[in-house]
Amino acid sequence: MGFAKQVSGTMPSVQNYDAIIVGAGFSGLYMLHRLRGLGMSARVYERGSGVGGTWYWNRYPGARCDVESVQYSYSFSDALQQEWQWTERYAGQAEILRYANHVADRFDLRRDIALNTNVISAEFDEADNRWTVTLEGGKRVTAQHLVMAVGCLSNARMPDIPGLASFRGKVFHTGEWPHEGVDFTGLRVGVVGTGSSAIQSIPVIADEAKHVTVFQRTPNYSIPARNYPLSEDEKRAWAENYREFRRRAREEMRNGIVSEIPQKGALEESDDAREATYDFRWARGGLTFMTAYNNLALDKAANDTAADFVRRKIGETVKDPAVAKLLQPTTYPIGTKRICIDTDYFETFNRDNVTLVDIRNAPISEITPNGIVTGGKEYACDAIVFATGFDAMTGSFARIDIRGRDGLTLREKWEEGPKTYLGLMVAGFPNMFLVTGPGSPSVLSNMIVSIEQHVDWISDCLAYQRERDVACIEATQGAEDGWVAHVNEVAHNTLYPQANSWYMGANILGKPRVFLPYIGGIPAYRAICNEVAANGYRGFALTRQHRVAAAE
Ligand code: NAP
């Protein structure tokens, strides 16, 4: 390990690194920082023209984090967390992107990041235990370790609707929003989808556009964000107590977000007390609505109390009872699809310039030059916004041709659903690490907490290997099988599989229905990872370096 080396001969020179990192989002940035700290040479390849990952791509109107900004930030550097000042309870996309750029500059990361660089393929060479990575344009680089920091929601998905190419107006996807922004003034805008991205963007677009028509297939539960500018006192309280808050997020909170730990089940309280609890959480706003009780994800009757409460709130907010009814979710338990956090979403349907179109029983059949057709009726649009989500968790891997032992591709290996050990490695793909991969808490948690845990674990693992001259580390098939079974078992003890969600891969036609993230909670998961490491990386096969006498 050491500095990047050039190997040249008759072939064009190939750059060699200790590690190649794919992606310069929050995972890739921190991974690079840690590898530098180990004295390793590393190169990051990023397809975007800037760092920031999710926050680089998702620039749609109203894009904002649903985890509070003081909690959605790195903890690895106290100097960083002391000097960075968040301005709002939930940071907007632009502020989070500024933060990512600040981190890149502050830790001098840019010199090892290649932007505008698509990774096309990665192939493991069994003879020398190295990965060869091919970039768009044909350049090849090699590394002993490959770290896939590609993000969980990075493969924006445009539905395949007949006639889309014929549409005369402009077409946008929330997950790949134009950098220069979009002016909807005077336009009739069609929004397809009612997930988190739509719920955040619809109120903002409706403020600007002449008319907004929302095409809804499945309504979503959404809780008010109650965003506000952070006061100096709040900022100080966090700054003075970061160490303890971060410890609690890591060690005590299932989802990595510090809040009260629920002690009771929903049905252990009287109806009045429960109503008061939900009222308090609704008024406070945010994701912690779902941690009011300890059994909302486990017990359907308990879950119904929360779902009924939210449906009632929607009914009280939306003036037209027919529209309110359409907006009230009834087909899945609350929280089993990612809960949404909004600002004036349901209120927006009281505006004269907003129409809700229910497409549950009449899918969009066609897009014409003038608009969107459903149920035999054409809705005229000047612009269409697809807020139709992502090929979650596996989509970003699938677009790279990754080949492990015996030429096996990751696409083949994951044909029936992703299989990993701890969401960190894949049997048959030695020396390749995933950051927040399928089978880890990832999207069910505060992503930054999970990212830091993974990057720290990977860094410690690489340091361990270096100390022992390990050339190759690989998840064993048995350990992977055991982990896949455990991930499924834990998921099926909850209500989550009852929803057709992207957690289950259900939003992609033909994608296997497998519960993608690990639902056991961050503290339990963290303990397992630590215990695996403490036991000499149990479940991993480690091969020592072949010592070859140096040729003179
Ligand atoms: P999403 O949750 O997958 O929602 C996609 C929406 O598009 C759904 O309403 C879906 O309907 C609809 N849809 C998909 N294909 C369709 C089609 N062919 N015709 C009609 N409707 C279609 O995607 P998202 O809103 O982008 O959010 C994805 C995830 O990103 C979130 O769950 C969250 O984890 C994250 N996110 C976070 C924030 C935040 O931090 N505040 C903001 C945005 C996103 P069905 O439900 O019927 O499939």
Side-chain angles (χ1 to χ4, degrees):
M1 297 197 187
F3 300 102
K5 296 178 266 301
Q6 296 260 5
V7 175
S8 49
T10 49
M11 299 285 288
S13 68
V14 173
Q15 202 85 32
N16 299 287
Y17 300 95
D18 292 325
I20 286 171
I21 301 166
V22 186
F26 280 90
S27 305
L29 292 178
Y30 181 40
M31 191 77 242
L32 173 59
H33 178 64
R34 286 298 315 264
L35 293 181
R36 285 237 192 106
L38 290 174
M40 293 176 71
S41 65
R43 188 79 175 152
V44 180
Y45 295 105
E46 164 59 54
R47 74 190 162 100
S49 64
V51 302
T54 281
W55 302 102
Y56 168 90
W57 295 102
N58 286 269
R59 298 165 186 247
Y60 59 82
R64 192 173 285 290
C65 193
D66 57 7
V67 175
E68 296 180 352
S69 45
V70 284
Q71 306 216 42
Y72 191 85
S73 32
Y74 288 121
S75 71
F76 70 83
S77 159
D78 193 49
L80 171 66
Q81 63 188 7
Q82 292 299 333
E83 77 200 8
W84 182 267
Q85 299 276 309
W86 292 105
T87 63
E88 294 179 272
R89 179 181 180 187
Y90 304 95
Q93 173 270 335
E95 189 172 15
I96 304 176
L97 191 57
R98 273 201 302 282
Y99 175 71
N101 278 284
H102 171 73
V103 170
D105 291 331
R106 193 191 187 289
F107 297 97
D108 188 24
L109 300 176
R110 293 189 197 276
R111 63 189 157 88
D112 286 322
I113 301 174
L115 299 171
N116 300 305
T117 306
N118 253 317
V119 171
I120 303 298
S121 66
E123 193 170 353
F124 185 68
D125 182 342
E126 297 185 42
D128 63 1
N129 292 312
R130 292 181 74 81
W131 283 91
T132 299
V133 168
T134 304
L135 309 173
E136 195 171 2
K139 183 177 173 185
R140 291 162 76 222
V141 285
T142 81
Q144 184 181 1
H145 304 285
L146 177 65
V147 181
M148 299 300 290
V150 291
C152 296
L153 294 160
S154 310
N155 199 11
R157 183 182 143 268
M158 196 70 116
D160 187 14
I161 301 176
L164 181 56
S166 73
F167 182 61
R168 271 206 294 261
K170 288 219 163 125
V171 172
F172 305 98
H173 191 291
T174 47
E176 286 184 355
W177 203 258
H179 287 202
E180 62 280 12
V182 181
D183 183 3
F184 288 113
T185 310
L187 300 185
R188 296 161 303 175
V189 183
V191 179
V192 182
T194 47
S196 299
S197 303
I199 281 177
Q200 287 190 326
S201 56
I202 286 166
V204 184
I205 296 173
D207 256 347
E208 191 173 277
K210 183 171 166 198
H211 195 91
V212 176
T213 308
V214 178
F215 296 86
Q216 173 185 274
R217 191 162 68 183
T218 315
N220 255 298
Y221 297 95
S222 187
I223 311 296
R226 314 267 186 228
N227 190 30
Y228 56 78
L230 285 174
S231 70
E232 291 308 314
D233 283 351
E234 279 172 294
K235 288 187 216 173
R236 198 173 318 112
W238 272 88
E240 286 171 1
N241 296 291
Y242 261 130
R243 183 188 287 267
E244 176 58 9
F245 282 130
R246 302 301 197 199
R247 187 198 64 73
R248 288 182 59 202
R250 280 194 286 265
E251 295 175 13
E252 294 176 6
M253 312 311 304
R254 284 180 66 83
N255 61 3
I257 301 172
V258 176
S259 73
E260 314 92 321
I261 298 177
Q263 304 295 338
K264 282 186 188 167
L267 303 174
E268 289 175 52
E269 291 213 298
S270 70
D271 291 356
D272 285 350
R274 197 169 48 238
E275 189 74 5
T277 298
Y278 288 143
D279 264 329
F280 169 76
R281 300 249 173 172
W282 183 265
R284 186 171 68 177
L287 289 176
T288 59
F289 181 86
M290 286 309 294
T291 53
Y293 295 106
N294 61 17
N295 59 348
L296 295 183
L298 303 173
D299 179 329
K300 178 67 167 53
N303 185 286
D304 283 344
T305 65
D308 284 344
F309 178 89
V310 174
R311 279 191 286 266
R312 237 177 10 257
K313 287 290 181 193
I314 297 170
E316 288 164 14
T317 308
V318 180
K319 290 186 182 139
D320 181 333
V323 176
K325 192 152 191 275
L326 285 177
L327 289 167
Q328 289 166 329
T330 53
T331 55
Y332 59 97
I334 185 170
T336 56
K337 275 178 183 247
R338 169 76 171 215
I339 193 100
C340 302
I341 302 300
D342 72 277
T343 299
D344 294 338
Y345 175 63
F346 295 115
E347 291 81 349
T348 297
F349 291 90
N350 295 330
R351 297 177 64 124
D352 293 337
N353 70 333
V354 176
T355 307
L356 181 66
V357 178
D358 176 23
I359 57 169
R360 188 181 324 198
N361 299 315
I364 296 171
S365 55
E366 186 190 356
I367 292 181
T368 66
N370 301 318
I372 296 178
V373 180
T374 161
K377 185 171 171 195
E378 181 183 86
Y379 294 84
C381 302
D382 305 306
I384 302 176
V385 173
F386 285 97
T388 44
F390 303 87
D391 184 356
M393 302 203 75
T394 56
S396 305
F397 291 94
R399 72 170 154 217
I400 301 172
D401 183 18
I402 302 173
R403 287 169 193 266
R405 277 197 198 287
D406 303 322
L408 178 71
T409 67
L410 193 65
R411 286 185 203 127
E412 287 162 348
K413 163 111 193 190
W414 285 3
E415 218 161 26
E416 290 164 7
K419 296 180 179 69
T420 69
Y421 179 37
L422 301 171
L424 276 162
M425 291 197 95
V426 181
F429 295 79
N431 290 355
M432 180 180 86
F433 294 90
L434 323 179
V435 183
T436 66
S440 75
S442 56
V443 291
L444 294 175
S445 67
N446 179 348
M447 284 303 291
I448 305 280
V449 174
S450 284
I451 285 169
E452 287 194 330
Q453 186 255 336
H454 264 192
V455 169
D456 289 342
W457 192 94
I458 294 168
S459 305
D460 292 348
C461 179
L462 294 183
Y464 178 95
Q465 291 179 51
R466 182 170 55 182
E467 281 159 21
R468 286 159 185 79
D469 253 345
V470 171
C472 183
I473 179 169
E474 180 178 358
T476 66
Q477 194 57 57
E480 183 178 277
D481 291 345
W483 185 251
V484 169
H486 176 62
V487 169
N488 275 305
E489 187 191 333
V490 179
H492 284 86
N493 287 333
T494 73
L495 301 173
Y496 276 82
Q498 294 190 20
N500 285 327
S501 67
W502 59 258
Y503 292 145
M504 294 287 294
N507 63 329
I508 304 289
L509 197 67
K511 190 165 171 169
R513 302 269 172 125
V514 175
F515 197 75
L516 297 168
Y518 177 59
I519 206 171
I522 287 190
Y525 174 77
R526 188 183 186 81
I528 295 168
C529 291
N530 288 347
E531 192 257 329
V532 162
N535 283 287
Y537 291 89
R538 186 167 42 75
F540 292 97
L542 283 78
T543 316
R544 288 170 76 86
Q545 199 88 259
H546 298 298
R547 292 195 171 279
V548 180
E552 288 297 325

